[in-house]
Amino acid sequence: MTAHDSKGPAHALPQTLPRFSATFDPHTLSEIRRAAATGIYDIRGGGTKRKLPHFDDLLFLGASMSRYPLEGYREKCGTEVVLGNRFAKKPIYLKTPVTIAGMSFGALSAQAKEALGRGASIVGTSTTTGDGGMTPEERGQSQTLVYQYLPSRYGMNPVDLRKADAIEVVIGQGAKPGGGGMLLGQKISDRVAAMRNLPKGIDQRSACRHPDWTGPDDLEIKIQELREITDWEKPIYVKVGACRPYYDIALAVKAGADVVVLDGMQGGTAATQEVFIEQVGIPILSAIRPAVQALQDLGMHRKVQLIVSGGIRTGADVAKALALGADAVAIGTAALVALGDNDPHWQAEYEALGTTAGAYDDWHEGRDPAGITTQDPELAARLDPVKAGRRLANYLSVMTLEAQTIARACGKSHLHNLEPEDLVALTVEAAAMAGVPLAGTQWIPGKTGGY
Amino acid sequence: MNAFSPDITFDLATSPLRDLNEALHKTSGESNARRWRVLNPEGRHAVAVGIDAPVTVEIDGNVGYYCAGMNQNASVIIHGNAGQGVAENMMSGFVRVCGDASQSAGATGHGGLLVVDGNASARCGISMKGIDIVVKGSIGHMSAFMGQSGSLIVFGDAGEALGDSLYEAKLFVRGTVKSLGADCIAKELRDEHKALLAQKLEAAGVAPGSVDLSEFKRYGSARKLYNFHVDNADAY
Ligand SMILES: Cc1cc2nc3c(=O)[nH]c(=O)nc-3n(C[C@H](O)[C@H](O)[C@H](O)COP(=O)(O)O)c2cc1C
């Protein structure tokens, strides 16, 4: 509304500010325009960007009159974890429960994979291959390497299988439960194409179902085969995206898994449809308790270990995940950030790509200024695997120290002694999902009835 | 049965499968025990998996899932039928099923040769990555789905959606094909393809001249789905 008046602005009619619709917000409008112009769904990397109930909605109850804390730095708070001692002859021993999640060579540069191996090895934790197979760089630099067994079976071979320290059968990922992999032509370099036995430069979509088994009964036989091939030495993990955690975890245990990996919807991906990332799956906060319940109902809690992932950033997140009953956690996105992903150092280049440091998520295009999610040799050369590995090691140490700080404050001599009783929730939603009381009350929605 | 005189006979009715596979993993090209016979498999799963030695294993009877899985260098001959995923992810060597094979035969195989004297079920050669598969009978639906490379040769018929989302695997079918999958098309059978067929059939032990190569039809990828295009959205 414009109302010009000869008497000047003092007498102008008051105007309402331009108001954006909460439903048709600017991002939604831009997406409609983008879809109309291109005819293809939006593809990106990373995890959910919307706000979800998360570990931030939980707080710890430190020691007080009725419990006593442990001295920081003086009294021991253990962090080590053993994974896969149900059936495997050679279980995995880690010094910290923070592991590196599976991320493919192809999605990441060879330098980035090497840096992940270096960083993880310095602090005594494991790293994981991904869709596309095992590279000599990451095997060489990873003290403990988990080899993923994915539906695509790109690069899958018995030689690497025997070189692995554990095998992870991937059924799904939190970012896209029910979806397969995606690596677009820009990233199918000669080396990636050769490892995957594909023509160079094509848009590669990995299958979403395994080619030679379907369902938990078949999986049991598949696991038996993998154990026979590797002489029952290696722990076998089963990874699922969080959707129906109670049943999925129970069935994975029944199928013979040594370790179950549960990835919440915040979990990152190298590339998939935005609609998948934002609309399918459940937050990790809501998935841990049902998973632990399944393990407890089967008498398998702490016997089959539970690794959880999806949006884990700090030692506090680690401590909360463990307090809810997990044995270890895995990180993807945070590890990439520690290497240098989305670093403000490259701000000018992010701007040239139409984005800004911290928001860059077009990882599928392979033009990552930080040289991490790319196969471009010049960009990839920007990442020094030794220095980046050191940064990751520092960050992993900080997470471990933070988790110990919290555990000591709660009087625990091992991170695994943290328990749900150490937690309260800030919101009714988080209280219901995590099964802990709303702060200041004894109310666990759905549990105690209450007021 | 046959004139094979084994160096080692392993009876699964009396010895555990674990011992068989472990013993097979310990053999190498230098071992004296090159010829193995396995008795009474009785449908057990994961028989003779993960071998990496130039040995011959003859199995007298039917096997369950994943027989000869991830095979390298060995020859595994099954005198019976094979369950799901026989020779899955084979790297090299030779696997022969004298009876019929269940679904996903030769799935994701990277190399070597799989011969099925009878029929193979659905998803034969799914995600194949270099393996050669010869089926003397017919194959089921969704065979060679996402086949990347290698060849699938079928003397009989193929079920629905042959070669769906095919990459560079080469498919040859002598009989009828119920339907082709997305992006799979019939292609001309030229001399070079006949030469390839002759070579693969010879390796499979098919007597030269016993099969008329010109009766085969060739199928391959139209390569239209290699890069996304909105006008192909119907095919996704
Ligand atoms: C770049 C990238 C590549 C990934 N590749 C794979 C993969 O190949 N296989 C897999 O199971 N998960 C893959 N993931 C998912 C991670 O394993 C893990 O589930 C997820 O990153 C955990 O959530 P976070 O990123 O919030 O820590 C990938 C994630 C990222 C960020």
Side-chain angles (χ1 to χ4, degrees), chain B residues 196-211:
Chain B
L196 182 86
L197 268 173
Q199 182 209 332
K200 303 291 178 197
L201 291 183
E202 193 190 337
V206 176
S210 66
V211 177

Side-chain angles (χ1 to χ4, degrees), chain A residues 61-89:
Chain A
L61 302 176
S64 52
M65 292 283 271
S66 58
R67 3 209 123 185
Y68 57 90
L70 299 186
E71 289 292 350
Y73 299 107
R74 294 197 182 82
E75 284 177 306
K76 198 172 153 37
C77 175
T79 61
E80 71 284 355
V81 54
V82 182
L83 300 170
N85 49 359
R86 182 186 186 192
F87 290 121
K89 284 187 214 157

Side-chain angles (χ1 to χ4, degrees), chain A residues 101-104 108 130-131 148 150 170 173 239 263 266-270 309-311 331-333 336 363:
Chain A
M103 293 182 274
S104 65
L108 301 185
D131 210 2
Q148 284 199 329
L150 294 122
V170 179
Q173 245 179 275
K239 175 174 180 175
D263 191 24
Q266 294 96 333
T269 174
S309 57
I331 58 167
T333 307
L336 300 187
W363 297 348

Side-chain angles (χ1 to χ4, degrees), chain B residues 49-71:
Chain B
V49 293
I51 311 177
D52 181 13
V55 296
T56 299
V57 182
E58 300 232 9
I59 303 170
D60 289 346
N62 303 322
V63 290
Y65 284 34
Y66 310 130
C67 183
M70 298 214 185
N71 185 51

Side-chain angles (χ1 to χ4, degrees), chain B residues 153-172:
Chain B
I153 302 167
V154 183
F155 288 19
D157 305 328
E160 284 160 342
L162 176 72
D164 196 285
S165 309
L166 195 65
Y167 294 106
E168 295 297 308
K170 297 180 169 61
L171 315 182
F172 302 92

